[in-house]
Structures are given as C-alpha cells and as structure tokens.
Amino acid sequence: MKLLKIIKILASTKDEQINYLIDLGTYPSTDELALDFDYAYVFYLRNINHKCDDLINQIIFKKLNDINKIFGEMSNLPNDSFWEVISLDLNDWSKIREYASELLILMKDI
C-alpha cells in the first residue's frame, strides 16, 4: 500500500475507517490499519533520503515516526481492545487522525 493512501485512511473519520475495514473484510478488527501503515512506513524508510535536509521532510519524517510510535505502544499493551473498532473513539486514535491530517497538508506539494 502506498504511504499517501494509508495516511488518507488514517486521517479519515471513524465512520470512514469503519467502512474501509468493512470493505476489506476485517471489521471489527482495526489492526489492518496499523499493518497497512507499517508496510508503507517500512517501504518509505527503505527508500527515503535519510538526511531529510529540508524542514518539510523533517516534519513529515517526525509525524510518521509519531504515528509509528503510537502503534508500537499499543501493540505492547496486554489489552487487545485497541485493535477493536470500539477503540476508534480513544484518544490514541484521535491523535493518529490528527497526525495523519497534518501529514496530508505537508505532503500535498511533494
């Protein structure tokens, strides 16, 4: 999955994310959102100029890392409820949507 596509999905509303998961056939599990992000993120990391010389690329890199960090923290929790659709109301998912929305603005001209 391309990075921009999953960023758009992560920036989407809860209802749009639920519809995406239904279309994928993974509803009510939300882990596919994290897996899609991870695949695109790893591809991005392997292909990016790690120097990120300009400020916009540095900010994009930081926001992507912030999203990855949230997913990583949630993966390490003993409670699997983060990976259920009801969790889309939680602050962590709101923060992911916020970061992804900011990324869309930054990435529009790249």
Side-chain angles (χ1 to χ4, degrees), residues 82-97:
F82 184 76
W83 304 115
E84 297 172 9
V85 80
I86 195 164
S87 72
L88 291 173
D89 288 322
L90 296 176
N91 186 49
D92 289 317
W93 279 107
S94 295
K95 196 52 111 173
I96 288 169
R97 282 193 278 283

Side-chain angles (χ1 to χ4, degrees), residues 14 31 35 49 66 70 72-73 75 87 95 103:
K14 172 188 159 186
D31 64 345
L35 292 172
N49 174 356
D66 290 344
I70 293 171
E73 289 169 354
S75 294
S87 72
K95 196 52 111 173
L103 277 165

Side-chain angles (χ1 to χ4, degrees), residues 5 28 31 34 37 64-65 69 72-73 78 104:
K5 182 177 178 185
D31 64 345
F37 174 79
L64 289 169
N65 284 330
K69 182 180 176 185
E73 289 169 354
L104 286 179

Side-chain angles (χ1 to χ4, degrees), residues 49-88:
N49 174 356
H50 288 285
K51 294 181 182 177
C52 291
D53 291 333
D54 64 66
L55 182 59
I56 290 181
N57 280 326
Q58 290 174 13
I59 295 169
I60 288 170
F61 186 72
K62 181 186 180 318
K63 293 287 181 193
L64 289 169
N65 284 330
D66 290 344
I67 292 172
N68 190 58
K69 182 180 176 185
I70 293 171
F71 282 139
E73 289 169 354
M74 295 303 105
S75 294
N76 292 323
L77 291 177
N79 185 351
D80 288 340
S81 65
F82 184 76
W83 304 115
E84 297 172 9
V85 80
I86 195 164
S87 72
L88 291 173

Side-chain angles (χ1 to χ4, degrees), residues 6-12 67 95-105:
I6 187 58
I7 295 301
K8 286 179 181 178
I9 294 165
L10 292 177
S12 298
I67 292 172
K95 196 52 111 173
I96 288 169
R97 282 193 278 283
E98 176 187 330
Y99 291 156
S101 295
E102 292 169 2
L103 277 165
L104 286 179
I105 293 167

